Amino acid sequence: MKELFKDKEHLVRMVGLFGIGFLLFGLMKIILVPNSFGLYGHYRGDSLAEVAAQPVAYAGRGACIDCHSDIDEARTGSKHAVIGCEACHGPLAAHVAEPEKLKPKLPDGEKICLRCHLANPARPVSFPQITLKDHSTDDPCTSCHPAHHPEIS
Amino acid sequence: MTIDRREFLLQTGKLLILTSSAAAALEYVLAGTPEEAPGYTVADHYWAMMIDIEKCIGCGNCARACKEENGVSRQPYYFRTWVERYHVRPEEPELPDVDSPNGGIDGFPEKYRGDDGSKSFFVPKLCNHCAHSPCTQVCPVGATFESPDGVVLVDKKYCLGCRYCVQACPYGCRYIDPDKKVADKCTLCYHRIRKGLTTACCEVCPTGARQIGDLKDPNDPVHEFLRTHKTQVLKPHMATGSKLYYNGLDGSVR
């Protein structure tokens, strides 16, 4: 035993160095690693809430129908009843927040209609499609097909 | 037993590394899975998306709404979701023509004939929110990850912009944000689904070709959809654990 520790001076020095190393490691870890790192896995747990904090631009049809229930009733029984309002009217969360201040513009009828209903061979055959030159006159689509209930009865 | 200084240092070093990793693991175990949002528990949800190709009409509403909702650059190179048009000729079913003019935002000009024996159809694409995602595995700093509720997200404050993940994604779903110079991608509208809303793309899809689903909610229509449809994921051979289920996916789709 005595033989083993006869040169203990260098051992003490090394234990000291390791001690300082440990302290430095701990200090660096506290400083450099964000608090929430490792909360759920190898990433900052706080970033979940940060991503979720982004503001919403599309209010969702529920918010629209809260005030415009008459329009929702007008759509009953129509194929358009399942379409989200903002699909044609655009993002309107700002209008929901301040209904009087931000009035949405009426969508450009023909452009919006043709976006979905212009004939294209890649579209499913069961989907109603039109070729402009064969269909109707120069009248706007909505003169025959009301946008919220386009079926001609 | 004799031990020289070099060997002693080596062994001690190894011990040190082992202890610190064990300490880190313990920290993770002790932390558990605490919640941070009232009314939303990350452990109670596991999000997926269903796409019905037979319902997609290529209107581009999804790609347009995504840019509006998430403030994605309007330049035609940055998309979190986009629509591809496939054109498959019967003599070469393995070599389809694929185009996606401005991601489908401006519509698809009629380019192919419907009566020459070929077929064409639309395939909406977005992040597959893989359960074993290659993009999160290559991140050197832990800036991208699979959240406990099954969404692959980017920590924009932590991202270095090294672009490893952009190259690693087998589906081409990532890009470098031209303003912030960090990786960016579909978040499955994480800010919306946590509030109980659907994603912007699903909200505006006129035919219901896209739907999000919560695999942990037994009443969610996703279960009925998966049970009653023959679904497929993109590049199943890569075993990414994709949670983007396509109904009616043609074999030519890459």
Side-chain angles (χ1 to χ4, degrees), chain A residues 16-72:
Chain A
L17 271 176
F18 267 109
I20 293 168
F22 262 121
L23 278 176
L24 272 179
F25 177 82
L27 202 66
M28 299 274 277
K29 192 166 180 270
I30 290 167
I31 295 168
L32 294 176
V33 179
N35 277 337
S36 67
F37 203 94
L39 195 61
Y40 302 110
H42 189 71
Y43 55 92
R44 246 169 18 98
D46 284 352
S47 63
L48 287 185
E50 285 169 20
V51 175
Q54 188 189 324
V56 166
Y58 285 82
R61 61 198 80 179
C64 306
I65 293 169
D66 273 351
C67 297
H68 303 281
S69 55
D70 52 325
I71 305 288
D72 190 45

Side-chain angles (χ1 to χ4, degrees), chain B residues 3-243:
Chain B
I3 184 163
D4 60 15
R5 181 189 283 225
R6 180 184 296 263
E7 183 69 12
F8 178 71
L9 279 174
L10 253 171
Q11 296 301 334
T12 322
K14 278 183 190 165
L15 190 72
L16 194 65
I17 289 166
L18 278 177
T19 331
S20 58
S21 53
L26 182 70
E27 218 169 85
Y28 175 55
V29 171
L30 286 179
T33 48
E35 284 114 58
E36 357 118 344
Y40 184 92
T41 315
V42 283
D44 288 351
H45 303 273
Y46 201 64
W47 297 101
M49 190 176 256
M50 303 154 274
I51 293 184
D52 197 340
I53 288 178
E54 285 156 21
K55 283 186 181 171
C56 182
I57 56 170
C59 64
N61 266 5
C62 48
R64 208 176 299 115
C66 178
K67 287 205 174 193
E68 290 277 355
E69 177 74 34
N70 297 299
V72 179
S73 165
R74 296 302 147 103
Q75 289 170 274
Y77 325 109
Y78 305 100
F79 298 99
R80 291 185 180 194
T81 183
W82 66 100
V83 184
E84 291 175 359
R85 171 168 59 183
Y86 274 71
H87 176 244
V88 188
R89 280 158 290 132
E91 64 274 19
E92 282 183 311
E94 295 286 305
L95 289 170
D97 305 312
V98 187
D99 69 337
S100 183
N102 193 16
I105 287 180
D106 306 325
F108 291 84
E110 200 174 326
K111 197 161 124 180
Y112 305 117
R113 288 170 52 196
D115 56 359
D116 58 355
S118 68
K119 66 173 168 183
S120 45
F121 51 90
F122 298 110
V123 183
K125 294 224 173 140
L126 66 151
C127 170
N128 287 235
H129 294 284
C130 309
H132 319 292
S133 172
C135 61
T136 62
Q137 288 168 37
V138 298
C139 182
V141 295
T144 183
F145 51 88
E146 290 130 28
S147 75
D149 37 359
V151 183
V152 177
L153 296 172
V154 177
D155 180 351
K156 287 192 167 187
K157 278 192 190 160
Y158 224 53
C159 175
L160 303 167
C162 75
R163 294 152 203 245
Y164 280 4
C165 57
V166 179
Q167 295 180 52
C169 175
Y171 307 105
C173 295
R174 286 173 172 255
Y175 58 91
I176 295 290
D177 184 326
D179 304 320
K180 293 184 185 134
K181 312 286 182 209
V182 294
D184 204 3
K185 65 178 287 296
C186 161
T187 61
L188 206 66
C189 280
Y190 197 62
H191 59 296
R192 297 177 62 90
I193 57 179
R194 274 177 74 132
K195 294 184 181 84
L197 293 165
T198 185
T199 65
C201 56
C202 293
E203 176 63 38
V204 301
C205 180
T207 61
R210 290 169 173 249
Q211 288 172 69
I212 53 157
D214 183 354
L215 294 171
K216 278 192 182 170
D217 177 0
N219 299 318
D220 197 287
V222 63
H223 301 292
E224 183 66 8
F225 182 90
L226 292 177
R227 195 172 64 76
T228 52
H229 293 74
K230 310 275 186 294
T231 56
Q232 178 60 290
V233 296
L234 293 172
K235 302 188 184 180
H237 57 281
M238 298 195 80
T240 56
S242 162
K243 296 200 299 302

